[in-house]
Every structure is written in structure tokens, then in C-alpha cells.
């Protein structure tokens, strides 16, 4: 039996329960279940002491200094740094230090870059970021969208899919209903444009008065969204569920008739893939990397960002056409299987093994 490489995964854990944090947690858990030695270096470790988290400048140093020390120690007992990376300050504060320390300690570096803002970030930041990405042992992205973005900066990236643990999700029979349940599983932040989903829901309710909308997420736009629902006269049908633990998300999908994704910036939203795996038809915007995983009228219905009229029309189309729903659900489940753990596991193991076989750069 081959000896598996020793890997330190550098990334966040929930809470908050965002896409990157959930992917990091799943990767470590599932790899360990396969007998692969994994060590987690958490980029969002709790503040010690907790009161430090309330002081902006102090909390940065309180987290950064222990983080750098943990990286240094982890580099001494692992062969590979698998770094979950994103744009903006997250790159400078967490990914860049891990790359530098890994290099100093002779560790192989895999940067697993995520997030739909990569292109504007690389355009606006200093050239050192592109140089640093070009010097790592492997640049990996979960989507063809980001691979194409990096190619425009002269960077070669390899695709390894996001993980969808399909064992957690079960499709159910969805009969026609006069009280459809619409869900959004994105945070209440400007880039996810929850107001468009609320406006679309208000339009749907004019055709289905008993329709409900659940928004599962947290964020700074909560008060704005609550006021919008009240102003549209639909607050009684909108539930702002807050952050739902990832372990409870399958239950939410099981209750849904349609999943909405109104985001204005996106890479490869796991929420769409989870909806596929749950047999829930999807109406989504067509931004960023979404068209790489959602084909209009084949696996989902796509609309332009901010177009609540088109989103509502697409929802009503689904609710009135069971044959269309069945066709989309079947194609979506086929698409989701490409991201199932057995497939993704082999992709990552191949990356780890190939990186160890390459000469030191």
C-alpha cells in the first residue's frame, strides 16, 4: 500500500459557514477518513482572549502572530501546504504568509484559489501577487471560469472540482403545489443581491399567494432586506433563517420546491450543486463561473443579474411545468455526480503525488 503524502491544509473552518470554510472542513474530514495524514492550520482560529476580537487593529495582530508560528511548526512536519486562497485582504493576510513560510521551510506549495473576484483583484493589486502565484508548485482552481481568468495573466491553473458529499442529500418527489417553498442559501451581502430574490418572490406570490421564501444566511444587508419585504407587503411569507449549520442544510433543500441564486459575482457556488444533488430545480443568475456548471434549460434556468422579473417568470415556469422540472432535476443530478467525493478524492491525491515528484523550484 502506497504511503500517502503528509499534507497541511491552510484554510478557514465554520463559523461563518461560507463556501470555502465548508469545503476546507469537508476536505480534511474526508481525506482523514481515507487514511491520508492531514493537519489543519486554521486561518480563522478563535481569538485568545475572546475580548481581543472587538478591537480592530489589535485583533489582526492577535490572530496573525499565532498563525505564523503555527505555519512554521506545521511546515516542519508536513511535505505539502494546501492553501485555500481568496482575493483581497484574505490573500495578503493568510495565503501570502503561508506561501512564504512554506518556501522558507522547503515545503511544496499548492494554492487552491477560489472566489469570483480574482480578475479585478489581480488587475488592481501589486504585481507581486501574480509573481507569487506563478512560482508555486501548483495553482489549482475548482472551475474552468477561474482557470480562464488566470490564463489571461499568464498563469497556468489545474482544475480540481469542489466537493459535494452526495451521501448527505436525497431527492424527493415534488408534486405540484399551491404553496411552493422557495429558498436562497447565500449570505445577506451585496454581491449575493438577496433583494432581487425578494422582489422575484413578491411577483411569484401574485400568482401563488401561499408561496413562502426562506433566506438561509447572515450578513450586513439583513435590515435592508427586512424593510424591502415589509415594503412589498410580503414580510409574512419571508423567513430570514439566519446561519444554518452545514449539517442541517440537507433538510432545508428537502423542503424546497425551487432554489434561487441571485448573486452578481460568483465562481462555482456549492449551493447550486447541493440543490442539484437534492433534486431541487434551480433559477440562477448567469454571472462569473455559473455558466460552467449551469446550462440554461438543461440543468437550470438562467437569468441576468438584478432581473427580478425574469427570475419570477422562471420560477412560475417551473411551478407550472412538471416535465421541465423532471428534466432539469435529472440533468442536475448527473452534473452533481461529477463533484462527488470518490471522484474529487482521486483528483486531489493525484495532485499531491505529482507535486512531490516535481523538482524543487
Amino acid at each position: 500500500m502506497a504511503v500517502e503524502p503528509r499534507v497541511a491544509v491552510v484554510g478557514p473552518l465554520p463559523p461563518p459557514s461560507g463556501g470555502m470554510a465548508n469545503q476546507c472542513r469537508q476536505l480534511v474530514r474526508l481525506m482523514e477518513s481515507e487514511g491520508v495524514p492531514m493537519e489543519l492550520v486554521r486561518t480563522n482560529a478563535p481569538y485568545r482572549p475572546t475580548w481581543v476580537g472587538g478591537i480592530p487593529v489589535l485583533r489582526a495582530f492577535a490572530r496573525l502572530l499565532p498563525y505564523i508560528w503555527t505555519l512554521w511548526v506545521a511546515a516542519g512536519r508536513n511535505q505539502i501546504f494546501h492553501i485555500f486562497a481568496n482575493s483581497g485582504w484574505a490573500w495578503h493576510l493568510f495565503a501570502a504568509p503561508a506561501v512564504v513560510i512554506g518556501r522558507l521551510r522547503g515545503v511544496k506549495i499548492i494554492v487552491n484559489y477560489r472566489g469570483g473576484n480574482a480578475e479585478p483583484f489581480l488587475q488592481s493589486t501589486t504585481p507581486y501577487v501574480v509573481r507569487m502565484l506563478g512560482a508555486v508548485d501548483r495553482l489549482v482552481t475548482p472551475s474552468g471560469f477561474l482557470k480562464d481568468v488566470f490564463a489571461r495573466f499568464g498563469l497556468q491553473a489545474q482544475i480540481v472540482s469542489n466537493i459535494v458529499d452526495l451521501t448527505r442529500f436525497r431527492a424527493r418527489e415534488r408534486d405540484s403545489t399551491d404553496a411552493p417553498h422557495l429558498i436562497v442559501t447565500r449570505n445577506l451581502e451585496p454581491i449575493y443581491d438577496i433583494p432581487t430574490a425578494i422582489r422575484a418572490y413578491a411577483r411569484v406570490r401574485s400568482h401563488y399567494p401561499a408561496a413562502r421564501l426562506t433566506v438561509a444566511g447572515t450578513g450586513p444587508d439583513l435590515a435592508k432586506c427586512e424593510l424591502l419585504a415589509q415594503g412589498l407587503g410580503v414580510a409574512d411569507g419571508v423567513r430570514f433563517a439566519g446561519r444554518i449549520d452545514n449539517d442541517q442544510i440537507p433538510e432545508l433543500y428537502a423542503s424546497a420546491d425551487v432554489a434561487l441564486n441571485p448573486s452578481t459575482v460568483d465562481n462555482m457556488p456549492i449551493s447550486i450543486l447541493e440543490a442539484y444533488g437534492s433534486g431541487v430545480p434551480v433559477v440562477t443568475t448567469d454571472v462569473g463561473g455559473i455558466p460552467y456548471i449551469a446550462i440554461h434549460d438543461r440543468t437550470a434556468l438562467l437569468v441576468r443579474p438584478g432581473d427580478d422579473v425574469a427570475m419570477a417568470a422562471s420560477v412560475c415556469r417551473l411551478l407550472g411545468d412538471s416535465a421541465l422540472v423532471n428534466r432539469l432535476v435529472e440533468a442536475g443530478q448527473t452534473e452533481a455526480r461529477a463533484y462527488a467525493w470518490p471522484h474529487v478524492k482521486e483528483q486531489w491525491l493525484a495532485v499531491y503525488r505529482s507535486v512531490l515528484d516535481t523538482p524543487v523550484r
Side-chain angles (χ1 to χ4, degrees):
M1 182 177 178
V3 176
E4 299 296 357
R6 298 187 307 278
V7 181
V9 175
V10 181
L13 287 183
S17 197
M20 189 160 76
N22 287 326
Q23 284 293 300
C24 182
R25 179 172 68 173
Q26 286 193 97
L27 178 71
V28 172
R29 176 177 60 83
L30 291 169
M31 277 294 186
E32 287 179 338
S33 73
E34 301 285 346
V36 179
M38 307 290 280
E39 178 176 351
L40 176 66
V41 178
R42 189 173 175 182
T43 56
N44 63 342
Y47 293 105
R48 295 287 186 269
T50 55
W51 58 264
V52 170
I55 305 176
V57 177
L58 181 59
R59 70 187 178 196
F61 285 100
R63 178 170 281 171
L64 184 61
L65 296 177
Y67 171 63
I68 289 174
W69 173 248
T70 304
L71 285 171
W72 186 268
V73 173
R77 54 192 177 214
N78 291 282
Q79 300 165 287
I80 297 170
F81 268 6
H82 176 158
I83 303 167
F84 279 72
N86 208 334
S87 306
W89 280 106
W91 168 267
H92 300 297
L93 291 175
F94 304 123
V99 172
V100 171
I101 289 173
R103 278 279 171 262
L104 291 173
R105 299 280 272 162
V107 174
K108 298 287 187 176
I109 305 294
I110 299 168
V111 170
N112 187 193
Y113 205 108
R114 298 159 179 276
N117 274 320
E119 186 159 19
F121 172 61
L122 294 176
Q123 287 173 337
S124 63
T125 193
T126 55
Y128 100 91
V129 176
V130 173
R131 289 198 301 269
M132 184 175 283
L133 285 169
V136 301
D137 297 288
R138 200 74 87 248
L139 176 58
V140 178
T141 176
S143 71
F145 165 67
L146 278 183
K147 181 178 181 180
D148 292 345
V149 168
F150 289 128
R152 292 195 282 275
F153 291 86
L155 299 169
Q156 183 177 358
Q158 177 177 346
I159 298 174
V160 175
S161 304
N162 275 330
I163 303 164
V164 180
D165 187 357
L166 293 180
T167 63
R168 300 173 56 234
F169 300 97
R170 291 287 184 273
R172 66 168 177 84
E173 292 293 328
R174 287 178 169 81
D175 300 323
S176 59
T177 177
D178 293 328
H181 183 200
L182 315 183
I183 65 169
V184 179
T185 54
R186 308 307 298 263
N187 281 330
L188 289 87
E189 299 174 10
I191 64 170
Y192 299 127
D193 192 16
I194 305 303
T196 288
I198 296 172
R199 294 187 185 98
Y201 163 69
R203 293 180 181 276
V204 169
R205 223 170 86 152
S206 66
H207 300 279
Y208 296 87
R212 298 177 293 129
L213 172 66
T214 297
V215 180
T218 59
D221 282 358
L222 175 59
K224 171 184 176 182
C225 291
E226 289 175 332
L227 285 173
L228 176 62
Q230 291 169 8
L232 293 171
V234 296
D236 60 320
V238 180
R239 176 185 171 225
F240 294 99
R243 182 178 294 121
I244 294 180
D245 188 83
N246 196 47
D247 295 334
Q248 298 174 329
I249 283 291
E251 182 180 346
L252 178 64
Y253 283 112
S255 72
D257 295 292
V258 181
L260 305 180
N261 179 60
S263 57
T264 62
V265 175
D266 235 321
N267 172 30
M268 185 185 188
I270 287 295
S271 57
I272 291 179
L273 300 176
E274 290 178 340
Y276 287 168
S278 303
V280 181
V282 174
V283 178
T284 177
T285 53
D286 59 359
V287 300
I290 290 174
Y292 288 76
I293 63 170
I295 300 174
H296 180 64
D297 228 21
R298 180 179 170 188
T299 54
L301 298 183
L302 275 64
V303 300
R304 295 299 302 161
D307 193 343
D308 57 278
V309 175
M311 181 168 282
S314 294
V315 171
C316 291
R317 183 183 169 200
L318 288 170
L319 296 175
D321 190 341
S322 59
L324 171 62
V325 169
N326 292 337
R327 178 163 57 82
L328 293 181
V329 164
E330 183 177 354
Q333 289 181 311
T334 299
E335 177 73 13
R337 284 193 282 273
Y339 308 92
W341 172 240
H343 181 66
V344 180
K345 174 191 71 175
E346 294 303 324
Q347 290 180 317
W348 274 122
L349 289 176
V351 171
Y352 295 157
R353 292 163 183 159
S354 66
V355 161
L356 289 181
D357 290 338
T358 57
V360 177
R361 300 184 66 169

